[in-house]
Amino acid sequence: MKPSFQSNEEAVTHVQELFLKHIDEIRGFIRAFARNRPLADDVLQETFLTITAKADSFEPGTKFPQWARAIARFKILELSRRDTGRLSFLTEEAIEVLAGENEQPEWDENFEPLEECVEELPASMRKMIDLRYQAGRKPAAIAEQVGWKVEAVYVCLSRARNVLKDCIEGKTTKKA
């Protein structure tokens, strides 16, 4: 039997404590998609508010970071639908794949341009993309592994996503 909360206040306190414990991981996930720090902080705040509002739906004993990232992913997707110019987005499907919510995505012809574009990236960008999205490493761990500053990793990932976006748009426009 899974533990449960005695009250809503207890649930709220618990998820807020977990949020603070995992804030760097959640922020890093959001920063992987946001172009600038203030925007990432806005999405982080919205994620915190949603997590607080949905505290009763969190099941104690389950993995909080995955639950929080799922909520953050929905906040990112909401923002992408409202204001695509402020975020570094591919397509909703590509976001889902890059967000790692699908264990083994089924690559069909819609993702062929993504695979091709990743192969065309400069070696340093491809390495960052592989470490972040294939190996699932956090930017801080990547920075330590490659001997860069964390900010440099964020910049490289952001630039790589922009290059991928432009490349995919170019390849899909040619096919149309």
Side-chain angles (χ1 to χ4, degrees):
M1 183 174 171
K2 291 184 180 176
S4 62
F5 299 112
Q6 304 256 335
S7 68
N8 184 51
E9 292 81 21
E10 188 178 293
V12 167
T13 299
H14 183 70
V15 297
Q16 287 179 344
E17 287 172 354
L18 287 171
F19 183 87
L20 292 174
K21 180 180 177 184
H22 297 282
I23 194 167
D24 290 335
E25 179 180 348
I26 299 163
R27 180 183 291 120
F29 176 80
I30 293 167
R31 288 285 317 270
F33 296 98
R35 285 188 181 186
N36 61 51
R37 198 168 292 220
L39 181 61
D41 289 342
D42 290 347
V43 174
L44 185 67
Q45 278 186 321
E46 287 186 34
T47 301
F48 176 78
L49 293 173
T50 301
I51 284 170
T52 299
K54 295 181 176 270
D56 283 340
S57 68
F58 176 70
E59 295 180 28
T62 61
K63 295 181 179 180
F64 179 82
Q66 286 83 345
W67 184 70
R69 282 195 314 267
I71 291 171
R73 186 180 85 242
F74 286 116
K75 292 297 171 188
I76 292 165
L77 289 169
E78 280 177 21
L79 185 58
S80 76
R81 289 181 197 116
R82 284 193 323 251
D83 189 0
T84 57
R86 294 175 55 199
L87 292 174
S88 171
F89 282 105
L90 303 171
T91 64
E92 285 190 27
E93 293 82 13
I95 292 168
E96 295 291 342
V97 171
L98 292 175
E101 298 304 320
N102 300 324
E103 289 291 320
Q104 290 292 337
E106 291 187 25
W107 295 94
D108 60 16
E109 66 277 354
N110 294 326
F111 291 106
E112 190 174 303
L114 176 59
E115 288 179 317
E116 291 172 6
C117 290
V118 168
E119 290 300 317
E120 294 173 12
L121 284 173
S124 62
M125 285 184 178
R126 189 171 54 248
K127 182 176 183 175
M128 292 298 124
I129 292 292
D130 287 344
L131 288 171
R132 179 70 182 106
Y133 300 111
Q134 295 298 321
R137 294 207 171 92
K138 297 176 190 172
I142 295 170
E144 187 176 312
Q145 180 178 342
V146 300
W148 291 10
K149 292 185 177 184
V150 176
E151 294 79 12
V153 172
Y154 280 120
V155 168
C156 186
L157 286 169
S158 178
R159 288 180 181 161
R161 284 189 303 274
N162 286 331
V163 169
L164 288 171
K165 177 180 179 274
D166 292 344
C167 177
I168 289 169
E169 286 174 353
K171 288 184 183 293
T172 55
T173 302
K174 288 178 187 175
K175 286 184 177 182

